[in-house]
Amino acid sequence: LVLIALIVFVLLPALITPKTSSVVMSDMSRMRQISMACLMYAMDHRGEYPADWTALTNNYANIPKLFVTHSDEKRAGQMSNVMEWTSFVYVPGLTTASPPRSVVAYLPLGHYKTRDGGIIAFADCSVEWQPPEQFKETLRGTPTTTSTVPVEAAPNAAPTVP
């Protein structure tokens, strides 16, 4: 019995991590698609990124589940008010002349229970998982990020992913 408990104790983290990693990868894929939609929008609108994601609804990204994390899919609503229910934070004010490492969007820290860090999408359509300190430093370097944009999930919001 002790041997079985020891085996479960050793193997349990290995069984949990792949599921969490696949959820994170799914969320990163969604953010990459959104950043690509923003870039396509900018190419069609004299280099200006959309003011918010509502502008993407007609021709660029009209799938509500794209704007929420894997675990928040039930929150997805109408695209006409996407900015009210999206899981991700959009950073407006970019143009195609912005540096490639300009932040387009991010998922605030505290979303995942078992992974400490956050996801950031950049203007070059790359997406990264970053540990908390690097995540905060990246956002500090973003000129359009203001104090009204949350870096961490709201204190009363429980993490939603195992």
PDB file of all heavy atoms in Angstrom, residues 68-108:
ATOM      1  N   VAL A  68     -11.431  34.011 -25.866  1.00  0.00           N
ATOM      2  CA  VAL A  68     -11.426  33.537 -24.480  1.00  0.00           C
ATOM      3  C   VAL A  68     -10.447  32.379 -24.362  1.00  0.00           C
ATOM      4  O   VAL A  68     -10.121  31.727 -25.350  1.00  0.00           O
ATOM      5  CB  VAL A  68     -12.825  33.079 -24.000  1.00  0.00           C
ATOM      6  CG1 VAL A  68     -13.771  34.250 -23.865  1.00  0.00           C
ATOM      7  CG2 VAL A  68     -13.409  32.022 -24.911  1.00  0.00           C
ATOM      8  N   THR A  69     -10.009  32.115 -23.150  1.00  0.00           N
ATOM      9  CA  THR A  69      -9.118  30.982 -22.936  1.00  0.00           C
ATOM     10  C   THR A  69      -9.919  29.689 -23.057  1.00  0.00           C
ATOM     11  O   THR A  69     -11.147  29.693 -23.012  1.00  0.00           O
ATOM     12  CB  THR A  69      -8.467  31.036 -21.543  1.00  0.00           C
ATOM     13  OG1 THR A  69      -9.490  30.988 -20.553  1.00  0.00           O
ATOM     14  CG2 THR A  69      -7.614  32.269 -21.386  1.00  0.00           C
ATOM     15  N   HIS A  70      -9.191  28.602 -23.178  1.00  0.00           N
ATOM     16  CA  HIS A  70      -9.814  27.287 -23.291  1.00  0.00           C
ATOM     17  C   HIS A  70     -10.792  27.053 -22.137  1.00  0.00           C
ATOM     18  O   HIS A  70     -11.894  26.559 -22.329  1.00  0.00           O
ATOM     19  CB  HIS A  70      -8.727  26.209 -23.301  1.00  0.00           C
ATOM     20  CG  HIS A  70      -9.241  24.829 -23.389  1.00  0.00           C
ATOM     21  ND1 HIS A  70      -9.674  24.281 -24.570  1.00  0.00           N
ATOM     22  CD2 HIS A  70      -9.410  23.878 -22.435  1.00  0.00           C
ATOM     23  CE1 HIS A  70     -10.085  23.043 -24.346  1.00  0.00           C
ATOM     24  NE2 HIS A  70      -9.931  22.779 -23.067  1.00  0.00           N
ATOM     25  N   SER A  71     -10.404  27.425 -20.938  1.00  0.00           N
ATOM     26  CA  SER A  71     -11.243  27.181 -19.763  1.00  0.00           C
ATOM     27  C   SER A  71     -12.401  28.169 -19.632  1.00  0.00           C
ATOM     28  O   SER A  71     -13.327  27.933 -18.874  1.00  0.00           O
ATOM     29  CB  SER A  71     -10.393  27.224 -18.496  1.00  0.00           C
ATOM     30  OG  SER A  71      -9.810  28.503 -18.363  1.00  0.00           O
ATOM     31  N   ASP A  72     -12.364  29.278 -20.370  1.00  0.00           N
ATOM     32  CA  ASP A  72     -13.415  30.301 -20.279  1.00  0.00           C
ATOM     33  C   ASP A  72     -14.385  30.273 -21.459  1.00  0.00           C
ATOM     34  O   ASP A  72     -15.119  31.241 -21.660  1.00  0.00           O
ATOM     35  CB  ASP A  72     -12.779  31.705 -20.217  1.00  0.00           C
ATOM     36  CG  ASP A  72     -12.092  31.989 -18.909  1.00  0.00           C
ATOM     37  OD1 ASP A  72     -12.347  31.260 -17.932  1.00  0.00           O
ATOM     38  OD2 ASP A  72     -11.282  32.930 -18.866  1.00  0.00           O
ATOM     39  N   GLU A  73     -14.401  29.193 -22.232  1.00  0.00           N
ATOM     40  CA  GLU A  73     -15.213  29.165 -23.460  1.00  0.00           C
ATOM     41  C   GLU A  73     -16.683  29.472 -23.216  1.00  0.00           C
ATOM     42  O   GLU A  73     -17.343  30.036 -24.074  1.00  0.00           O
ATOM     43  CB  GLU A  73     -15.055  27.828 -24.168  1.00  0.00           C
ATOM     44  CG  GLU A  73     -13.736  27.702 -24.872  1.00  0.00           C
ATOM     45  CD  GLU A  73     -13.590  26.420 -25.665  1.00  0.00           C
ATOM     46  OE1 GLU A  73     -14.471  25.545 -25.597  1.00  0.00           O
ATOM     47  OE2 GLU A  73     -12.564  26.290 -26.357  1.00  0.00           O
ATOM     48  N   LYS A  74     -17.203  29.151 -22.040  1.00  0.00           N
ATOM     49  CA  LYS A  74     -18.619  29.426 -21.751  1.00  0.00           C
ATOM     50  C   LYS A  74     -18.885  30.926 -21.610  1.00  0.00           C
ATOM     51  O   LYS A  74     -20.024  31.355 -21.694  1.00  0.00           O
ATOM     52  CB  LYS A  74     -19.051  28.697 -20.487  1.00  0.00           C
ATOM     53  CG  LYS A  74     -19.084  27.198 -20.680  1.00  0.00           C
ATOM     54  CD  LYS A  74     -19.504  26.477 -19.431  1.00  0.00           C
ATOM     55  CE  LYS A  74     -19.497  24.979 -19.718  1.00  0.00           C
ATOM     56  NZ  LYS A  74     -19.679  24.181 -18.540  1.00  0.00           N
ATOM     57  N   ARG A  75     -17.828  31.720 -21.408  1.00  0.00           N
ATOM     58  CA  ARG A  75     -17.974  33.173 -21.289  1.00  0.00           C
ATOM     59  C   ARG A  75     -18.145  33.851 -22.641  1.00  0.00           C
ATOM     60  O   ARG A  75     -18.559  35.011 -22.706  1.00  0.00           O
ATOM     61  CB  ARG A  75     -16.750  33.771 -20.607  1.00  0.00           C
ATOM     62  CG  ARG A  75     -16.685  33.517 -19.136  1.00  0.00           C
ATOM     63  CD  ARG A  75     -15.477  34.143 -18.504  1.00  0.00           C
ATOM     64  NE  ARG A  75     -15.239  35.505 -18.961  1.00  0.00           N
ATOM     65  CZ  ARG A  75     -14.116  36.157 -18.764  1.00  0.00           C
ATOM     66  NH1 ARG A  75     -13.117  35.585 -18.147  1.00  0.00           N
ATOM     67  NH2 ARG A  75     -13.963  37.385 -19.198  1.00  0.00           N
ATOM     68  N   ALA A  76     -17.786  33.176 -23.708  1.00  0.00           N
ATOM     69  CA  ALA A  76     -17.832  33.796 -25.038  1.00  0.00           C
ATOM     70  C   ALA A  76     -19.246  34.286 -25.337  1.00  0.00           C
ATOM     71  O   ALA A  76     -20.222  33.564 -25.169  1.00  0.00           O
ATOM     72  CB  ALA A  76     -17.377  32.800 -26.101  1.00  0.00           C
ATOM     73  N   GLY A  77     -19.330  35.518 -25.771  1.00  0.00           N
ATOM     74  CA  GLY A  77     -20.635  36.113 -26.072  1.00  0.00           C
ATOM     75  C   GLY A  77     -20.703  36.583 -27.512  1.00  0.00           C
ATOM     76  O   GLY A  77     -20.071  36.022 -28.404  1.00  0.00           O
ATOM     77  N   GLN A  78     -21.444  37.649 -27.718  1.00  0.00           N
ATOM     78  CA  GLN A  78     -21.592  38.227 -29.048  1.00  0.00           C
ATOM     79  C   GLN A  78     -20.344  39.037 -29.391  1.00  0.00           C
ATOM     80  O   GLN A  78     -19.780  39.726 -28.547  1.00  0.00           O
ATOM     81  CB  GLN A  78     -22.818  39.142 -29.091  1.00  0.00           C
ATOM     82  CG  GLN A  78     -24.121  38.430 -28.841  1.00  0.00           C
ATOM     83  CD  GLN A  78     -24.408  37.412 -29.925  1.00  0.00           C
ATOM     84  OE1 GLN A  78     -24.205  37.668 -31.105  1.00  0.00           O
ATOM     85  NE2 GLN A  78     -24.883  36.244 -29.520  1.00  0.00           N
ATOM     86  N   MET A  79     -19.929  38.967 -30.642  1.00  0.00           N
ATOM     87  CA  MET A  79     -18.733  39.686 -31.067  1.00  0.00           C
ATOM     88  C   MET A  79     -18.909  41.202 -30.969  1.00  0.00           C
ATOM     89  O   MET A  79     -17.945  41.934 -30.825  1.00  0.00           O
ATOM     90  CB  MET A  79     -18.344  39.290 -32.489  1.00  0.00           C
ATOM     91  CG  MET A  79     -17.794  37.885 -32.602  1.00  0.00           C
ATOM     92  SD  MET A  79     -16.348  37.562 -31.570  1.00  0.00           S
ATOM     93  CE  MET A  79     -15.151  38.646 -32.314  1.00  0.00           C
ATOM     94  N   SER A  80     -20.137  41.679 -31.000  1.00  0.00           N
ATOM     95  CA  SER A  80     -20.373  43.119 -30.938  1.00  0.00           C
ATOM     96  C   SER A  80     -19.932  43.725 -29.605  1.00  0.00           C
ATOM     97  O   SER A  80     -19.665  44.922 -29.524  1.00  0.00           O
ATOM     98  CB  SER A  80     -21.846  43.428 -31.188  1.00  0.00           C
ATOM     99  OG  SER A  80     -22.643  42.763 -30.221  1.00  0.00           O
ATOM    100  N   ASN A  81     -19.837  42.919 -28.556  1.00  0.00           N
ATOM    101  CA  ASN A  81     -19.371  43.429 -27.268  1.00  0.00           C
ATOM    102  C   ASN A  81     -18.213  42.581 -26.724  1.00  0.00           C
ATOM    103  O   ASN A  81     -18.106  42.350 -25.530  1.00  0.00           O
ATOM    104  CB  ASN A  81     -20.514  43.533 -26.266  1.00  0.00           C
ATOM    105  CG  ASN A  81     -21.124  42.193 -25.924  1.00  0.00           C
ATOM    106  OD1 ASN A  81     -20.932  41.206 -26.622  1.00  0.00           O
ATOM    107  ND2 ASN A  81     -21.869  42.156 -24.836  1.00  0.00           N
ATOM    108  N   VAL A  82     -17.336  42.144 -27.611  1.00  0.00           N
ATOM    109  CA  VAL A  82     -16.219  41.259 -27.270  1.00  0.00           C
ATOM    110  C   VAL A  82     -15.337  41.822 -26.160  1.00  0.00           C
ATOM    111  O   VAL A  82     -14.835  41.078 -25.325  1.00  0.00           O
ATOM    112  CB  VAL A  82     -15.381  40.903 -28.523  1.00  0.00           C
ATOM    113  CG1 VAL A  82     -14.722  42.117 -29.116  1.00  0.00           C
ATOM    114  CG2 VAL A  82     -14.340  39.837 -28.207  1.00  0.00           C
ATOM    115  N   MET A  83     -15.161  43.127 -26.113  1.00  0.00           N
ATOM    116  CA  MET A  83     -14.268  43.715 -25.119  1.00  0.00           C
ATOM    117  C   MET A  83     -14.821  43.583 -23.695  1.00  0.00           C
ATOM    118  O   MET A  83     -14.079  43.724 -22.733  1.00  0.00           O
ATOM    119  CB  MET A  83     -13.999  45.188 -25.441  1.00  0.00           C
ATOM    120  CG  MET A  83     -13.305  45.392 -26.785  1.00  0.00           C
ATOM    121  SD  MET A  83     -11.773  44.471 -27.012  1.00  0.00           S
ATOM    122  CE  MET A  83     -10.668  45.392 -25.974  1.00  0.00           C
ATOM    123  N   GLU A  84     -16.100  43.271 -23.548  1.00  0.00           N
ATOM    124  CA  GLU A  84     -16.706  43.106 -22.222  1.00  0.00           C
ATOM    125  C   GLU A  84     -16.462  41.721 -21.640  1.00  0.00           C
ATOM    126  O   GLU A  84     -16.487  41.555 -20.430  1.00  0.00           O
ATOM    127  CB  GLU A  84     -18.210  43.385 -22.292  1.00  0.00           C
ATOM    128  CG  GLU A  84     -18.532  44.819 -22.636  1.00  0.00           C
ATOM    129  CD  GLU A  84     -20.014  45.046 -22.836  1.00  0.00           C
ATOM    130  OE1 GLU A  84     -20.831  44.217 -22.364  1.00  0.00           O
ATOM    131  OE2 GLU A  84     -20.369  46.053 -23.468  1.00  0.00           O
ATOM    132  N   TRP A  85     -16.270  40.702 -22.463  1.00  0.00           N
ATOM    133  CA  TRP A  85     -16.165  39.337 -21.943  1.00  0.00           C
ATOM    134  C   TRP A  85     -14.881  38.600 -22.313  1.00  0.00           C
ATOM    135  O   TRP A  85     -14.657  37.478 -21.895  1.00  0.00           O
ATOM    136  CB  TRP A  85     -17.378  38.496 -22.360  1.00  0.00           C
ATOM    137  CG  TRP A  85     -17.685  38.536 -23.833  1.00  0.00           C
ATOM    138  CD1 TRP A  85     -18.639  39.283 -24.444  1.00  0.00           C
ATOM    139  CD2 TRP A  85     -17.035  37.785 -24.880  1.00  0.00           C
ATOM    140  NE1 TRP A  85     -18.618  39.064 -25.809  1.00  0.00           N
ATOM    141  CE2 TRP A  85     -17.644  38.140 -26.102  1.00  0.00           C
ATOM    142  CE3 TRP A  85     -16.007  36.850 -24.912  1.00  0.00           C
ATOM    143  CZ2 TRP A  85     -17.263  37.591 -27.320  1.00  0.00           C
ATOM    144  CZ3 TRP A  85     -15.623  36.304 -26.133  1.00  0.00           C
ATOM    145  CH2 TRP A  85     -16.259  36.684 -27.305  1.00  0.00           C
ATOM    146  N   THR A  86     -14.006  39.202 -23.067  1.00  0.00           N
ATOM    147  CA  THR A  86     -12.783  38.522 -23.470  1.00  0.00           C
ATOM    148  C   THR A  86     -11.889  38.192 -22.279  1.00  0.00           C
ATOM    149  O   THR A  86     -11.875  38.925 -21.287  1.00  0.00           O
ATOM    150  CB  THR A  86     -11.990  39.362 -24.493  1.00  0.00           C
ATOM    151  OG1 THR A  86     -10.838  38.644 -24.886  1.00  0.00           O
ATOM    152  CG2 THR A  86     -11.584  40.712 -23.932  1.00  0.00           C
ATOM    153  N   SER A  87     -11.145  37.098 -22.370  1.00  0.00           N
ATOM    154  CA  SER A  87     -10.191  36.720 -21.322  1.00  0.00           C
ATOM    155  C   SER A  87      -8.897  37.509 -21.442  1.00  0.00           C
ATOM    156  O   SER A  87      -8.156  37.644 -20.473  1.00  0.00           O
ATOM    157  CB  SER A  87      -9.829  35.231 -21.448  1.00  0.00           C
ATOM    158  OG  SER A  87     -10.939  34.406 -21.366  1.00  0.00           O
ATOM    159  N   PHE A  88      -8.605  37.994 -22.640  1.00  0.00           N
ATOM    160  CA  PHE A  88      -7.324  38.619 -22.932  1.00  0.00           C
ATOM    161  C   PHE A  88      -7.411  40.136 -22.828  1.00  0.00           C
ATOM    162  O   PHE A  88      -8.464  40.725 -23.001  1.00  0.00           O
ATOM    163  CB  PHE A  88      -6.851  38.223 -24.334  1.00  0.00           C
ATOM    164  CG  PHE A  88      -6.846  36.739 -24.555  1.00  0.00           C
ATOM    165  CD1 PHE A  88      -7.679  36.157 -25.489  1.00  0.00           C
ATOM    166  CD2 PHE A  88      -6.014  35.912 -23.814  1.00  0.00           C
ATOM    167  CE1 PHE A  88      -7.677  34.785 -25.697  1.00  0.00           C
ATOM    168  CE2 PHE A  88      -6.005  34.535 -24.004  1.00  0.00           C
ATOM    169  CZ  PHE A  88      -6.839  33.980 -24.954  1.00  0.00           C
ATOM    170  N   VAL A  89      -6.287  40.758 -22.584  1.00  0.00           N
ATOM    171  CA  VAL A  89      -6.207  42.218 -22.515  1.00  0.00           C
ATOM    172  C   VAL A  89      -5.572  42.708 -23.810  1.00  0.00           C
ATOM    173  O   VAL A  89      -4.484  42.270 -24.181  1.00  0.00           O
ATOM    174  CB  VAL A  89      -5.354  42.667 -21.308  1.00  0.00           C
ATOM    175  CG1 VAL A  89      -5.198  44.183 -21.293  1.00  0.00           C
ATOM    176  CG2 VAL A  89      -5.964  42.173 -20.002  1.00  0.00           C
ATOM    177  N   TYR A  90      -6.266  43.598 -24.500  1.00  0.00           N
ATOM    178  CA  TYR A  90      -5.774  44.181 -25.744  1.00  0.00           C
ATOM    179  C   TYR A  90      -5.028  45.471 -25.425  1.00  0.00           C
ATOM    180  O   TYR A  90      -5.460  46.256 -24.582  1.00  0.00           O
ATOM    181  CB  TYR A  90      -6.951  44.468 -26.685  1.00  0.00           C
ATOM    182  CG  TYR A  90      -6.549  45.103 -27.991  1.00  0.00           C
ATOM    183  CD1 TYR A  90      -5.693  44.452 -28.861  1.00  0.00           C
ATOM    184  CD2 TYR A  90      -7.018  46.346 -28.355  1.00  0.00           C
ATOM    185  CE1 TYR A  90      -5.322  45.014 -30.075  1.00  0.00           C
ATOM    186  CE2 TYR A  90      -6.656  46.928 -29.564  1.00  0.00           C
ATOM    187  CZ  TYR A  90      -5.810  46.254 -30.414  1.00  0.00           C
ATOM    188  OH  TYR A  90      -5.441  46.821 -31.604  1.00  0.00           O
ATOM    189  N   VAL A  91      -3.893  45.690 -26.099  1.00  0.00           N
ATOM    190  CA  VAL A  91      -3.102  46.899 -25.908  1.00  0.00           C
ATOM    191  C   VAL A  91      -3.225  47.726 -27.189  1.00  0.00           C
ATOM    192  O   VAL A  91      -2.582  47.424 -28.188  1.00  0.00           O
ATOM    193  CB  VAL A  91      -1.629  46.558 -25.606  1.00  0.00           C
ATOM    194  CG1 VAL A  91      -0.820  47.834 -25.395  1.00  0.00           C
ATOM    195  CG2 VAL A  91      -1.516  45.649 -24.387  1.00  0.00           C
ATOM    196  N   PRO A  92      -4.078  48.750 -27.190  1.00  0.00           N
ATOM    197  CA  PRO A  92      -4.316  49.541 -28.416  1.00  0.00           C
ATOM    198  C   PRO A  92      -3.173  50.498 -28.720  1.00  0.00           C
ATOM    199  O   PRO A  92      -2.270  50.689 -27.917  1.00  0.00           O
ATOM    200  CB  PRO A  92      -5.594  50.309 -28.064  1.00  0.00           C
ATOM    201  CG  PRO A  92      -5.530  50.464 -26.582  1.00  0.00           C
ATOM    202  CD  PRO A  92      -4.864  49.216 -26.063  1.00  0.00           C
ATOM    203  N   GLY A  93      -3.243  51.082 -29.902  1.00  0.00           N
ATOM    204  CA  GLY A  93      -2.314  52.139 -30.266  1.00  0.00           C
ATOM    205  C   GLY A  93      -1.157  51.714 -31.149  1.00  0.00           C
ATOM    206  O   GLY A  93      -0.274  52.516 -31.421  1.00  0.00           O
ATOM    207  N   LEU A  94      -1.145  50.493 -31.628  1.00  0.00           N
ATOM    208  CA  LEU A  94      -0.038  50.037 -32.466  1.00  0.00           C
ATOM    209  C   LEU A  94      -0.280  50.380 -33.935  1.00  0.00           C
ATOM    210  O   LEU A  94      -1.411  50.586 -34.365  1.00  0.00           O
ATOM    211  CB  LEU A  94       0.147  48.529 -32.339  1.00  0.00           C
ATOM    212  CG  LEU A  94       0.544  47.991 -30.964  1.00  0.00           C
ATOM    213  CD1 LEU A  94       0.666  46.475 -31.020  1.00  0.00           C
ATOM    214  CD2 LEU A  94       1.829  48.608 -30.483  1.00  0.00           C
ATOM    215  N   THR A  95       0.809  50.408 -34.674  1.00  0.00           N
ATOM    216  CA  THR A  95       0.758  50.533 -36.126  1.00  0.00           C
ATOM    217  C   THR A  95       1.748  49.513 -36.690  1.00  0.00           C
ATOM    218  O   THR A  95       2.537  48.927 -35.943  1.00  0.00           O
ATOM    219  CB  THR A  95       1.172  51.945 -36.602  1.00  0.00           C
ATOM    220  OG1 THR A  95       2.565  52.119 -36.361  1.00  0.00           O
ATOM    221  CG2 THR A  95       0.368  53.030 -35.919  1.00  0.00           C
ATOM    222  N   THR A  96       1.731  49.333 -37.989  1.00  0.00           N
ATOM    223  CA  THR A  96       2.681  48.414 -38.601  1.00  0.00           C
ATOM    224  C   THR A  96       4.110  48.945 -38.479  1.00  0.00           C
ATOM    225  O   THR A  96       5.063  48.201 -38.684  1.00  0.00           O
ATOM    226  CB  THR A  96       2.346  48.152 -40.084  1.00  0.00           C
ATOM    227  OG1 THR A  96       2.191  49.409 -40.758  1.00  0.00           O
ATOM    228  CG2 THR A  96       1.065  47.343 -40.212  1.00  0.00           C
ATOM    229  N   ALA A  97       4.281  50.213 -38.123  1.00  0.00           N
ATOM    230  CA  ALA A  97       5.614  50.786 -37.896  1.00  0.00           C
ATOM    231  C   ALA A  97       6.101  50.543 -36.461  1.00  0.00           C
ATOM    232  O   ALA A  97       7.255  50.831 -36.147  1.00  0.00           O
ATOM    233  CB  ALA A  97       5.595  52.282 -38.190  1.00  0.00           C
ATOM    234  N   SER A  98       5.250  50.001 -35.596  1.00  0.00           N
ATOM    235  CA  SER A  98       5.645  49.705 -34.212  1.00  0.00           C
ATOM    236  C   SER A  98       6.725  48.630 -34.211  1.00  0.00           C
ATOM    237  O   SER A  98       6.763  47.784 -35.109  1.00  0.00           O
ATOM    238  CB  SER A  98       4.442  49.222 -33.406  1.00  0.00           C
ATOM    239  OG  SER A  98       3.432  50.195 -33.347  1.00  0.00           O
ATOM    240  N   PRO A  99       7.601  48.639 -33.215  1.00  0.00           N
ATOM    241  CA  PRO A  99       8.625  47.591 -33.130  1.00  0.00           C
ATOM    242  C   PRO A  99       7.992  46.199 -33.084  1.00  0.00           C
ATOM    243  O   PRO A  99       6.905  46.038 -32.516  1.00  0.00           O
ATOM    244  CB  PRO A  99       9.348  47.904 -31.813  1.00  0.00           C
ATOM    245  CG  PRO A  99       9.076  49.349 -31.566  1.00  0.00           C
ATOM    246  CD  PRO A  99       7.714  49.617 -32.139  1.00  0.00           C
ATOM    247  N   PRO A 100       8.633  45.205 -33.668  1.00  0.00           N
ATOM    248  CA  PRO A 100       8.070  43.847 -33.716  1.00  0.00           C
ATOM    249  C   PRO A 100       7.745  43.262 -32.334  1.00  0.00           C
ATOM    250  O   PRO A 100       6.830  42.475 -32.207  1.00  0.00           O
ATOM    251  CB  PRO A 100       9.160  43.013 -34.395  1.00  0.00           C
ATOM    252  CG  PRO A 100      10.023  43.992 -35.100  1.00  0.00           C
ATOM    253  CD  PRO A 100       9.907  45.278 -34.370  1.00  0.00           C
ATOM    254  N   ARG A 101       8.474  43.670 -31.305  1.00  0.00           N
ATOM    255  CA  ARG A 101       8.248  43.140 -29.954  1.00  0.00           C
ATOM    256  C   ARG A 101       7.261  43.989 -29.164  1.00  0.00           C
ATOM    257  O   ARG A 101       7.162  43.868 -27.954  1.00  0.00           O
ATOM    258  CB  ARG A 101       9.562  43.017 -29.204  1.00  0.00           C
ATOM    259  CG  ARG A 101      10.543  42.058 -29.834  1.00  0.00           C
ATOM    260  CD  ARG A 101      10.152  40.620 -29.730  1.00  0.00           C
ATOM    261  NE  ARG A 101      10.211  40.193 -28.331  1.00  0.00           N
ATOM    262  CZ  ARG A 101       9.792  39.026 -27.900  1.00  0.00           C
ATOM    263  NH1 ARG A 101       9.280  38.156 -28.727  1.00  0.00           N
ATOM    264  NH2 ARG A 101       9.874  38.708 -26.641  1.00  0.00           N
ATOM    265  N   SER A 102       6.487  44.830 -29.839  1.00  0.00           N
ATOM    266  CA  SER A 102       5.425  45.581 -29.165  1.00  0.00           C
ATOM    267  C   SER A 102       4.332  44.605 -28.763  1.00  0.00           C
ATOM    268  O   SER A 102       3.956  43.719 -29.534  1.00  0.00           O
ATOM    269  CB  SER A 102       4.837  46.643 -30.089  1.00  0.00           C
ATOM    270  OG  SER A 102       5.826  47.571 -30.464  1.00  0.00           O
ATOM    271  N   VAL A 103       3.791  44.794 -27.566  1.00  0.00           N
ATOM    272  CA  VAL A 103       2.753  43.902 -27.052  1.00  0.00           C
ATOM    273  C   VAL A 103       1.410  44.254 -27.681  1.00  0.00           C
ATOM    274  O   VAL A 103       0.973  45.404 -27.642  1.00  0.00           O
ATOM    275  CB  VAL A 103       2.660  43.990 -25.510  1.00  0.00           C
ATOM    276  CG1 VAL A 103       1.515  43.150 -24.979  1.00  0.00           C
ATOM    277  CG2 VAL A 103       3.980  43.560 -24.880  1.00  0.00           C
ATOM    278  N   VAL A 104       0.770  43.240 -28.272  1.00  0.00           N
ATOM    279  CA  VAL A 104      -0.564  43.397 -28.845  1.00  0.00           C
ATOM    280  C   VAL A 104      -1.616  43.018 -27.809  1.00  0.00           C
ATOM    281  O   VAL A 104      -2.629  43.695 -27.643  1.00  0.00           O
ATOM    282  CB  VAL A 104      -0.742  42.510 -30.104  1.00  0.00           C
ATOM    283  CG1 VAL A 104      -2.181  42.540 -30.595  1.00  0.00           C
ATOM    284  CG2 VAL A 104       0.212  42.942 -31.191  1.00  0.00           C
ATOM    285  N   ALA A 105      -1.369  41.920 -27.101  1.00  0.00           N
ATOM    286  CA  ALA A 105      -2.336  41.424 -26.125  1.00  0.00           C
ATOM    287  C   ALA A 105      -1.634  40.503 -25.132  1.00  0.00           C
ATOM    288  O   ALA A 105      -0.534  40.029 -25.397  1.00  0.00           O
ATOM    289  CB  ALA A 105      -3.454  40.661 -26.834  1.00  0.00           C
ATOM    290  N   TYR A 106      -2.302  40.256 -24.017  1.00  0.00           N
ATOM    291  CA  TYR A 106      -1.750  39.324 -23.039  1.00  0.00           C
ATOM    292  C   TYR A 106      -2.857  38.745 -22.169  1.00  0.00           C
ATOM    293  O   TYR A 106      -3.957  39.292 -22.098  1.00  0.00           O
ATOM    294  CB  TYR A 106      -0.676  39.994 -22.174  1.00  0.00           C
ATOM    295  CG  TYR A 106      -1.159  41.162 -21.346  1.00  0.00           C
ATOM    296  CD1 TYR A 106      -1.611  40.973 -20.039  1.00  0.00           C
ATOM    297  CD2 TYR A 106      -1.152  42.455 -21.856  1.00  0.00           C
ATOM    298  CE1 TYR A 106      -2.055  42.041 -19.280  1.00  0.00           C
ATOM    299  CE2 TYR A 106      -1.587  43.521 -21.097  1.00  0.00           C
ATOM    300  CZ  TYR A 106      -2.034  43.314 -19.805  1.00  0.00           C
ATOM    301  OH  TYR A 106      -2.470  44.365 -19.053  1.00  0.00           O
ATOM    302  N   LEU A 107      -2.544  37.630 -21.544  1.00  0.00           N
ATOM    303  CA  LEU A 107      -3.423  37.010 -20.559  1.00  0.00           C
ATOM    304  C   LEU A 107      -2.837  37.346 -19.196  1.00  0.00           C
ATOM    305  O   LEU A 107      -1.689  37.002 -18.918  1.00  0.00           O
ATOM    306  CB  LEU A 107      -3.474  35.492 -20.759  1.00  0.00           C
ATOM    307  CG  LEU A 107      -4.338  34.718 -19.772  1.00  0.00           C
ATOM    308  CD1 LEU A 107      -5.810  35.117 -19.899  1.00  0.00           C
ATOM    309  CD2 LEU A 107      -4.191  33.222 -19.996  1.00  0.00           C
ATOM    310  N   PRO A 108      -3.585  38.054 -18.337  1.00  0.00           N
ATOM    311  CA  PRO A 108      -3.031  38.474 -17.048  1.00  0.00           C
ATOM    312  C   PRO A 108      -2.519  37.302 -16.202  1.00  0.00           C
ATOM    313  O   PRO A 108      -3.009  36.180 -16.311  1.00  0.00           O
ATOM    314  CB  PRO A 108      -4.219  39.154 -16.358  1.00  0.00           C
ATOM    315  CG  PRO A 108      -5.102  39.588 -17.470  1.00  0.00           C
ATOM    316  CD  PRO A 108      -4.955  38.523 -18.527  1.00  0.00           C
TER     317      PRO A 108
END
